[in-house]
Amino acid sequence: MMRERGAGGWGVWVVGVLLALGGAPACGDEGGAAGSSSASDTDSGVSVGSSGALTSGAGSSGPGTVDPSGVEPSGSGTGSVEPGTGEPSGTGTGTGEPSGTGTGTVDPSGVEPTGSWQPWADRVVWPEGERRAGGFGYTNSSPRRVDPGDGGEALVVVGAATDDDAQGEVVAWDVADGRERWRVRTRGEIFGSAVSVSRADGGVDVLMAGRDATLVRLDASTGAEVWAFDPEAEDEPGSWFNFYSPTVVGDVTGDGEPDIVVANGGDVMAEPFEPRGAGHLVLLSGASGEVVQRLRAPDGMETYMSTLLLEAGAGGEEPWVLFGTGGETFAGSLWRIPLAALVVGDAGAFEELVAPVTHKGIIAPPVLVDLDGSGVEDIIAPMYDGRVVALSGADGSSLWEVDVRGLGAEGWPELETMSSPALGRFGEERVLAVATTWSIGAFPAFTGGVRVVMDARTGSVLWWDVDDTGFAASPVAVSLGGGGRDAFVFVSTSPGPLAESTELLVLDGLAGPEIRVRWPGATLGTPWIGEGAAGELVMWRPVYGVDGVDDPAPGRSRWWVDVHRLGVEAPAWVAWPGYLGYGGAGRWTGP
């Protein structure tokens, strides 16, 4: 997700923030969620509390959407939240059974948080991280594990912006021991996440995308440049803006290498509501990086959303490319186009899946999962206007829709998200759930954050939480206690160019608690969580801030990566290890 504000001040800071939130991204501060009761552990720095769980009950969904009218709040305990303030108010918690006919949209009004869970902090330790040196500047990139394909150790790769020459860099570390493997400078900031490309010789390269039409292909083993996109070599060089994390497709050009689909757009120099150039959907040669096709956004709007490939269905249908338009201040839609149509440049083949209802569009990429067992992947899309929409991958019809602004006693006039959802198996029944994060208010004046977990198949709200952090990275999901159940891990930072701390919230849908930890620095990219040395579960968290360590110019921002060793054995499979899941495909790979 990326920012569209002008240069200078904290407009620059936010630029691209929310690309990573997935980078984008997101930020968090030290405030606890409104409406939660907490007991702090002063030795560990961990606080454990309770806030909004909602039993989904037996509500029906069918092919339509859930209508949980009739959910009656009951009991006492945690509170609701005043719109736009993030401050707790009132009493009252809610349990209840959603009911309805499976048509219409979800109306979560009146659904209040409930639940009181016991700590399980003794199972997993969340220590401060071991720092891996970055440099002066900042990072909005989300770390990703990459197998270099040379028989060597797996890598974690992350991008950044440098503050001395308005350029960028890409750094790779060995997963096992954290040693830096290589470091490469780039023409512009890198805020995208590493996307792997397999070579014919068995090796692996990585694609890294960023600001001002920066897109490079690097050898994963050495960092050597294979090619770098040059907008000056293209027609209308001034019409090229930011590249977002690309999608690798098959060899559709016949050059012997997998080819690349990528979105380009987002004029960061334009002010809110100021007209800006249209975004484009681009097909590049994987071998050379040359433009094969470039289609203008069908509505002429900007684009900030990374593309995804909706795979062929059980009947062997052609795959589709998902493409999003609009932003914080301009309406836009979620579109799809057959990959075959893109290859031949058929601009009339775009199909609108979700239309705008306000002046906002879509920034965060959707996630893909077969919701009805048909063998065709379906789509769960977080719109920038506060809606979550589930769509049939077979025909594009609506499966369910939730307007998250309706949560709580009075709701919020505006909720916005630049963060892609995560998928995991939630609660005792291992419900396939989707976790989303939202900012209260309108960019950049955010007053708090909302986290929501929903049943992915029905849209029923299972849990929600409010706090005073304004930017949230995309969540991750991992099994911490076994039993085929996952915990959702949320990371958020409060607004401001020099945020002092990041809050981590861990939600175990079975045993319960929220575990809250605060660490120094701002985290705008989504952490990566998976197997480290000796099979231990580790989390790599991108950070930037001002700490004065070895700083010849106090006040300069610097970035780094913290490696948190969690003290437990890594599970054989991690449900959602980082931004957009495994490999950045946005695809559920579990049962």
Side-chain angles (χ1 to χ4, degrees), residues 361-462:
I362 180 170
I363 292 178
V367 293
L368 308 175
V369 55
D370 182 0
L371 296 175
D372 57 11
S374 65
V376 179
E377 290 178 328
D378 301 306
I379 305 161
I380 302 177
M383 305 301 293
Y384 196 73
D385 58 23
R387 293 177 295 156
V388 183
V389 182
L391 304 163
S392 166
D395 59 16
S397 62
S398 176
L399 299 177
W400 54 260
E401 180 175 317
V402 176
D403 190 335
V404 181
R405 293 173 298 177
L407 281 174
E410 300 180 37
W412 301 275
E414 291 190 281
L415 287 181
E416 300 178 345
T417 186
M418 301 183 185
S419 303
S420 185
L423 293 165
R425 304 156 299 176
F426 189 73
E428 187 170 355
E429 297 182 358
R430 305 175 184 85
V431 173
L432 178 63
V434 57
T436 62
T437 60
W438 304 84
S439 298
I440 299 172
F443 180 87
F446 296 139
T447 59
V450 180
R451 307 172 181 94
V452 183
V453 177
M454 293 174 285
D455 186 317
R457 292 189 168 88
T458 69
S460 296
V461 176
L462 304 176

Side-chain angles (χ1 to χ4, degrees), residues 15 47 148 186 214 236 299 307 372 379 414 438 442 471 479 506 512 533:
V15 164
S47 65
T186 56
T214 300
E236 300 181 271
D299 54 5
T307 55
D372 57 11
I379 305 161
E414 291 190 281
W438 304 84
F471 291 105
S479 177
V506 184

